[in-house]
Structures are given as structure tokens and as C-alpha cells.
Amino acid sequence: MNILNLENISKTYMAKTVLDKVSIGIDDTDKIGVVGANGTGKSTLLAITAGVVEADSGSVVMGTDIRISYLPQDPKFDENKTLLENITDTIYAGGDQWDKMGEIKANLSKFGIDDPECAPGILSGGQRKRAALVAAIMTPADLLILDEPTNHLDSEMIEWLEDYLKRYHGAILMVTHDRYFLDEVTDRIIEIDKGNAYKYTANYSGFLELKEQRLNYELAAERKAASLYRKDLAWMLRGARARSTKQKAHIKRFEELKDRKRPEEERELELSSLSVRMGNKTISVDGITKRYGNRVLFSGFSYNFKKLDRIGIIGPNGCGKTTLLKCIAGEAAPDSGTIEIGQTIEIGYFRQENKPAVDRRSSADDTTQTIDESMRVIDYIKETAEFVRTKDGLVSAAMMCERFLFDGNMQYAPISKLSGGERRRLFLLKVLMAAPNVIILDEPTNDLDIATLRILEDYLDTFAGIVITVSHDRYFLDRVVTTIFSFEPDGSIMRSEGGYSDYLERKHVVASQQPSNEKNKAKPEDKSGKKSYQQPREKKKLSYREQQEYDHIEEEIEALEAKSTELEEQMAGAATDFPRLMELEKEKAAVDKEIEEKYERFMELQELVELYNGANA
């Protein structure tokens, strides 16, 4: 049954039309995911549907007594009331007369908020979003509208919410960039692109296939229209005269073809691998411990980062993941233990909060900088570098802004005018402009659109350095990382080879094999008092990235060997040019060292392949 219609909705911001005569119908059982690039109007569409933003034109038509519950991207609270009072006001305003105090407190606790009587002002941005989510899902509604509900949720919370929404009795309209979440929850996708709304009766995976069909159809239709236009143009040039109705119709068709709207080629964020060369010494973490008050976040953690490491860090909210990243980046000091960073290491830190980068050699207390939102986009990027060297040669800051989808007009706009997702994209560009060889990403999938995430994932595939990321996006972890460090309930950090799905599989196997009376026992400590860390188990298959690496590594070795031979021949011809000879020798030594590293990596991957094949023979 139809419960709400958007009819010819249009909305313009800063002379940019984000919604252009959009019409959408919502039935009472629809589970709709809204996708599109940052700044295209997804949040605006949700806000207009919820009735909190007014369209420039068009109308929202609802059935009688239709109730709507809305989770905005940036929820607001009445600071003069307690958190619990804010939530109960929302729920009971939705028409619920039942006493739900117990359920509210239980759900707040489930989402990591143990003091419902606290003032909203003391909560972090993530806690405020989770509290607002509790209010939204508990408010009686025929249509539940959620803007980025998975932001600031840990994996366990996301899985709970996923299951809850799959069983939800009512319609759902939501924006999220969590691709696994979209696949599991939605049965319709609406894509916002260049002001238009395209509808697909499918989940996210089905949408990708249907979108490809749509784009192919549009290109075929354009080729046909272009062919007709060429024929009509030739007819007009021969001196057509509108003497008959048929000729008048022919001329009208020619005019329509001439003025037709051609399909625009999709702009994609372009990333070239930017990094400085890394020496033999990377980052060595030895027995670090960090406390927050009387609470131990992690104790005795040690790890030597290897070149090309792809590390994913997971765990419940508040367990210490971001603190661990800050220790590695030099922004926080461990209470004990040491962190040694190689001289050639340059760290790029993409924070969860929107703050400028702080040099890793600066004081750990120097992290209170704020962004001047009146600064123009191009000037903000030029603060880092006017030019960067990429595989395409020297590229200006303005050109890099173009590659990150900031066109000429947007480059001279103040940062304050950017959407949340556009800001995140801007901060990512600033981090990469510094050409780091270690990239630290704290919740990179928050507020980045799916298209940007796909390009970032491809970039990390070719990045010649170390990647360390905290993320609750299961798809991103499966796609990017090859090792998981998980903060476990007993305070230990478990290491697991592979992506997130590999980690879950091992965890379920261990849980099923463990006797019930052993499941809650604490892990043993060594004689030094440090908690033991579970060693990696035998992996069952290559991750996506490892498979890609394994498929191409022999070709890379052959290319390097050919380059080494070529350099050797050049050295023979430069025997009398000593400076040139020294330069060639240095270059050949670097190539030979890379060949050696590639061979070592090939043997590691080959061993994993043989292990997997042997286990499945």
C-alpha cells in the first residue's frame, strides 16, 4: 500500500540543483537505500521526505495518519534536558503511550551509553548519533528514515541493527555507505545523480548490475539519436522546406535532436599513488601499555610493521582502537613500552574527527588545532603542497582538486559550504598530498560515498607502503586488509590473518570447539605480567588483495629483472662517465633489492596457496 509520494521535488543550493523534479513513491513495506556521490542531495532528499526541509518546488503527499521517525546525519538535543528526557520526548511525541523506560535504557546500553541521565553536552559525536538512533528506531512509525545509521557503530552493533531492520514492520528509507548492510536490508535502491533519481528494484548487488544495463542502454540510445541527427542535418542542408505536415514534423524532430540532453560521462575520483621511498626500518612497537584512568585499554602490545602491511583494527567502541592509532602516529604517548619510527617514515593520518594533520614529531598535546572554515578549498590544499609528483608527472594542487571532484567553482568556495562527505574527501586529499609512505585511516568509510570508497580501495591496492586502518565497515576490511588485530572482551588483542570474514570464521570455529566451561576463562599471562597475544592461525584462503598480488607478482618480477639487465648494459656503456656510472649502480642496487623482496613475498604467497590447496585436496 502506498503511504507517501514525492512529486516533482526540486531543491537548489548555491546555484547547484541537487534535486530536479524528482518523483518517488514509497509503499508500506519498502526497504529503500539511497546512494550517490557526496553532495548530490541524498541527505536533502531524506530531510524533505521527513518534513524538516522544504523543497523549492513540488510536494510531499502522505496518507492519513502516516507517522515518520527520522534520524538526521547530525542530530541535535535539548541541552537543558537529560539524554533520557530527550529520547522519551521523541518516542512519546511519536504517539507511543507505553512505558518504555526499561527498553530505552537497555538499548542505550546496547549502543555503549551506560548513563541515560547524563547531559547531552558531555557526549561525543558518536555517542550522540547512537542515542539518536535509539530514539529513531523506538519511535512508532510507518516510515523510518535513517541518515547514515551505521556511522559510529562497532561491528556487533551493526549486525544487531541489520537484523533489527530486516525484521522491521514498516517502510525504511535510508542513506548508508555500508555495502554489506545495503545488501542485507534493502530491496530497492534509489540513485541520486546530477539532480535525477533512478529507481532499481534490487538490493545493492542487483543495483550494480541494473545500473550497468541502464548506462549501456543510454549510450546505445545516444548512438541511435546521433545517427538520426546526422541524417536529418544532411536533409536540412539540402534545403528542406516546410511545405507539408510531414516535412514540418521532420524539422521538429531535427530541432529536438539538436537540443537533446546527452548522457554525461560519469566523473570518478582519480587517485595516483603518492608516496616517498621507505627505508628498511619502519615502525617497531614494543610492549606498549595505555590506561584511561583506572582502565587498561591495551597492555604489552608488540608488533613490527612490515613493508606493504595491510592491518585492520577492530573492536567495540571505546576499547582503545583510536588511542592505539594515536600512539603509533606520535600524537599520544604510551604509559609504558616504546615505539620506534624509522627515519624515512612519513605518516599520513586520516582522522575520524575532522581535524588537520599534526606532524608526528610534534608534541602529543598539540592536537587542538581547528580548521578555518572560511578558507577556500584550493588554499587549504596548497598549505600542504603546491605540486606533487605522481606516476603522471608533476601535478598541481588545482589539478589534484579536479581529480578529487572539486571543480573550478568548488575550489574557490569556502570549506564551510561543503557537505560532510565533501569535507571528508577534502581531508583525504590533504593527507595524500603529503605523499606519506604509511597511511593511518580512522573510520575512513564514515561519510565517504561508495564511489569514493571504491577508488580509495583501488588506490590502496597499488600503494607502496603500510596501511593501518580502524574500521567497522566489513566490506572495506575484506577488500583492503590482510591482517586483523581485534580487541577482545578479556582485554587482549588477537591477531588473525586475512580479512574480516576470515576473522569471523575463525572466531566461530574456536567458539564451537571450546568447552562451555572454558569460554569465559581469562587468557593466561606470561611471567612478565603481560597478557598473551593469540598467534595467527593457519589461513584457509588468500584474501582479495593477496590473490590480486599473487596473480601479478611473477609479471612484476620479470619486469624488474628486465630493468636490472637494462641498467647493467647502461653501466657497461658509461664506464668512462663516473658520475653517471655511480647513479646507475645506485639505481640497479635498488631494483635488485626490490627483486629480492618480491621473491620473498612470492614464496610467502606460494606457501599459503599450497597450504590452502593441501587442506582442500
Side-chain angles (χ1 to χ4, degrees):
M1 180 182 72
N2 180 267
I3 59 173
L4 183 145
N5 288 316
L6 302 177
E7 297 178 354
N8 294 314
I9 296 293
S10 294
K11 187 69 179 177
T12 299
Y13 287 115
M14 293 176 58
K16 177 184 177 183
T17 300
V18 292
L19 300 173
D20 186 12
K21 297 181 180 178
V22 167
S23 296
I24 296 169
I26 301 176
D27 289 346
D28 57 352
T29 59
D30 280 342
K31 304 289 190 291
I32 303 172
V34 182
V35 301
N38 291 137
T40 55
K42 302 186 300 295
S43 293
T44 301
L45 177 71
L46 265 59
I48 289 173
T49 307
V52 299
V53 169
E54 190 173 336
D56 295 337
S57 62
S59 58
V60 180
V61 181
M62 289 192 295
T64 306
D65 298 327
I66 295 299
R67 301 169 299 175
I68 293 176
S69 179
Y70 174 49
L71 171 71
Q73 193 172 78
D74 184 20
K76 307 296 182 186
F77 291 92
D78 184 341
E79 303 296 336
N80 297 316
K81 296 182 178 181
T82 68
L83 179 65
L84 185 61
E85 287 171 339
N86 272 276
I87 293 174
T88 53
D89 285 352
T90 300
I91 293 173
Y92 295 142
D96 199 326
Q97 303 302 316
W98 296 96
D99 182 3
K100 289 194 171 184
M101 285 297 182
E103 189 179 351
I104 293 170
K105 292 177 181 178
N107 280 333
L108 285 172
S109 179
K110 189 190 303 292
F111 283 95
I113 301 171
D114 296 323
D115 182 10
E117 300 291 347
C118 70
I122 71 169
L123 299 178
S124 68
Q127 288 173 321
R128 293 168 76 93
K129 185 68 180 273
R130 296 197 296 274
L133 175 61
V134 169
I137 63 177
M138 290 189 65
T139 299
D142 304 288
L143 173 59
L144 178 61
I145 301 177
L146 304 173
D147 197 346
E148 294 291 359
T150 61
N151 281 3
H152 307 291
L153 301 187
D154 61 36
S155 300
E156 185 175 336
M157 295 174 188
I158 290 173
E159 289 169 6
W160 181 89
L161 181 61
E162 186 178 278
D163 184 61
Y164 177 88
L165 294 181
K166 284 162 70 175
R167 295 181 288 104
Y168 185 78
H169 295 296
I172 298 172
L173 179 69
M174 69 176 175
V175 170
T176 180
H177 301 138
D178 188 317
R179 287 154 285 186
Y180 282 165
F181 195 84
L182 279 171
D183 254 353
E184 288 297 318
V185 175
T186 64
D187 53 24
R188 286 182 62 196
I189 296 290
I190 293 174
E191 180 190 19
I192 306 298
D193 184 28
K194 303 177 185 70
N196 299 314
Y198 299 95
K199 300 121 181 152
Y200 306 85
T201 305
N203 62 6
Y204 180 73
S205 296
F207 149 73
L208 291 177
E209 296 179 12
L210 293 172
K211 179 182 178 179
E212 183 70 18
Q213 293 175 17
R214 175 178 70 81
L215 294 176
N216 289 337
Y217 173 79
E218 287 181 355
L219 289 173
E222 168 59 21
R223 286 193 295 269
K224 182 178 179 181
S227 176
L228 281 172
Y229 176 74
R230 286 192 297 271
K231 292 177 181 178
D232 286 355
L233 178 61
W235 180 77
M236 292 290 290
L237 291 174
R238 287 199 300 268
R241 297 290 183 268
R243 297 174 187 161
S244 68
T245 303
K246 185 175 181 181
Q247 287 176 322
K248 288 178 181 178
H250 201 158
I251 293 172
K252 182 181 178 183
R253 185 182 74 176
F254 169 77
E255 294 297 334
E256 290 173 349
L257 286 169
K258 183 178 69 172
D259 297 333
R260 73 189 183 279
K261 185 177 180 180
R262 294 164 176 79
E264 296 181 35
E265 185 176 348
E266 284 199 314
R267 291 177 65 205
E268 282 196 335
L269 184 155
E270 297 178 28
L271 287 176
S272 296
S273 185
L274 309 172
S275 65
V276 295
R277 188 179 177 279
M278 185 187 301
N280 291 326
K281 185 174 181 181
T282 59
I283 301 175
S284 178
V285 179
D286 184 18
I288 64 170
T289 296
K290 187 68 178 178
R291 295 175 178 83
Y292 184 75
N294 295 324
R295 181 182 168 213
V296 178
L297 297 178
F298 45 85
S299 175
F301 176 70
S302 299
Y303 185 72
N304 290 319
F305 288 89
K306 301 183 289 294
K307 294 179 180 180
L308 301 180
D309 257 351
R310 300 294 189 265
I311 306 294
I313 301 174
I314 64 174
N317 287 324
C319 68
K321 304 183 298 298
T322 294
T323 302
L324 178 59
L325 292 187
K326 288 182 175 179
C327 288
I328 294 171
E331 291 193 5
D335 297 330
S336 61
T338 60
I339 299 175
E340 295 183 9
I341 299 177
Q343 289 295 318
T344 61
I345 294 299
E346 295 294 335
I347 296 176
Y349 189 1
F350 186 52
R351 291 167 182 73
Q352 183 174 169
E353 67 275 18
N354 293 333
K355 291 200 302 183
V358 179
D359 189 277
R360 64 179 174 83
R361 289 176 278 275
S362 65
S363 166
D365 296 328
D366 187 23
T367 60
T368 58
Q369 304 177 60
T370 57
I371 295 167
D372 180 2
E373 295 196 349
S374 66
M375 184 180 290
R376 297 183 304 182
V377 167
I378 185 65
D379 295 331
Y380 180 67
I381 294 303
K382 283 183 176 179
E383 277 189 335
T384 302
E386 294 270 358
F387 294 89
V388 290
R389 186 168 298 281
T390 73
K391 65 180 182 181
D392 303 321
L394 209 59
V395 178
S396 69
M399 182 58 70
M400 287 300 294
C401 285
E402 284 278 356
R403 292 184 175 189
F404 270 66
L405 308 185
F406 295 109
D407 60 24
N409 291 332
M410 291 186 72
Q411 288 179 31
Y412 288 92
I415 294 174
S416 61
K417 297 297 184 182
L418 300 181
S419 70
E422 288 169 333
R423 291 189 189 200
R424 291 285 283 171
R425 194 195 311 146
L426 179 66
F427 302 143
L428 176 61
L429 171 58
K430 190 174 180 71
V431 168
L432 297 181
M433 283 288 286
N437 48 28
V438 175
I439 294 179
I440 296 178
L441 305 167
D442 193 355
E443 293 293 357
T445 62
N446 283 357
D447 297 319
L448 285 181
D449 59 75
I450 293 173
T452 303
L453 289 175
R454 288 203 304 266
I455 302 300
L456 175 60
E457 290 158 0
D458 290 342
Y459 172 86
L460 296 178
D461 281 343
T462 60
F463 177 68
I466 296 169
V467 177
I468 308 168
T469 181
V470 165
S471 180
H472 298 127
D473 188 314
R474 299 158 293 176
Y475 184 98
F476 183 80
L477 290 171
D478 277 343
R479 177 69 175 76
V480 171
V481 310
T482 58
T483 301
I484 293 284
F485 283 121
S486 62
F487 281 67
E488 297 298 303
D490 63 1
S492 65
I493 298 179
M494 186 179 82
R495 178 181 169 190
S496 171
E497 296 301 316
Y500 182 77
S501 295
D502 298 312
Y503 158 77
L504 270 189
E505 188 175 344
R506 289 191 187 90
K507 188 175 180 181
H508 291 156
V509 168
V510 170
S512 65
Q513 293 176 346
Q514 195 174 18
S516 58
N517 61 343
E518 295 290 325
K519 286 184 179 179
N520 297 318
K521 281 191 177 181
K523 293 190 182 299
E525 297 187 357
D526 62 23
K527 294 180 180 179
S528 66
K530 298 176 182 177
K531 290 194 175 185
S532 64
Y533 290 87
Q534 185 169 329
Q535 295 301 311
R537 300 179 180 276
E538 292 183 346
K539 59 188 290 134
K540 296 189 174 183
K541 62 181 179 180
L542 295 184
S543 68
Y544 175 89
R545 189 181 183 282
E546 286 173 331
Q547 187 62 57
Q548 292 288 100
E549 187 181 3
Y550 181 68
D551 289 343
H552 300 290
I553 195 166
E554 290 184 88
E555 297 173 12
E556 293 171 2
I557 291 172
E558 288 177 7
L560 287 168
E561 288 176 337
K563 186 174 181 180
S564 178
T565 301
E566 181 185 345
L567 289 169
E568 193 170 347
E569 292 171 354
Q570 292 179 25
M571 288 167 58
T576 58
D577 186 350
F578 184 72
R580 174 63 175 157
L581 182 61
M582 293 296 292
E583 183 183 331
L584 290 169
E585 284 183 348
K586 184 177 179 181
E587 187 177 354
K588 185 176 185 302
V591 171
D592 290 345
K593 181 172 179 57
E594 190 174 356
I595 291 172
E596 182 181 344
E597 291 172 350
K598 289 283 186 183
Y599 267 120
E600 289 178 2
R601 181 59 176 159
F602 174 71
M603 297 303 294
E604 290 176 8
L605 293 170
Q606 183 67 31
E607 184 178 346
L608 292 173
V609 170
E610 291 174 354
L611 179 66
Y612 175 69
N613 290 340
N616 291 276

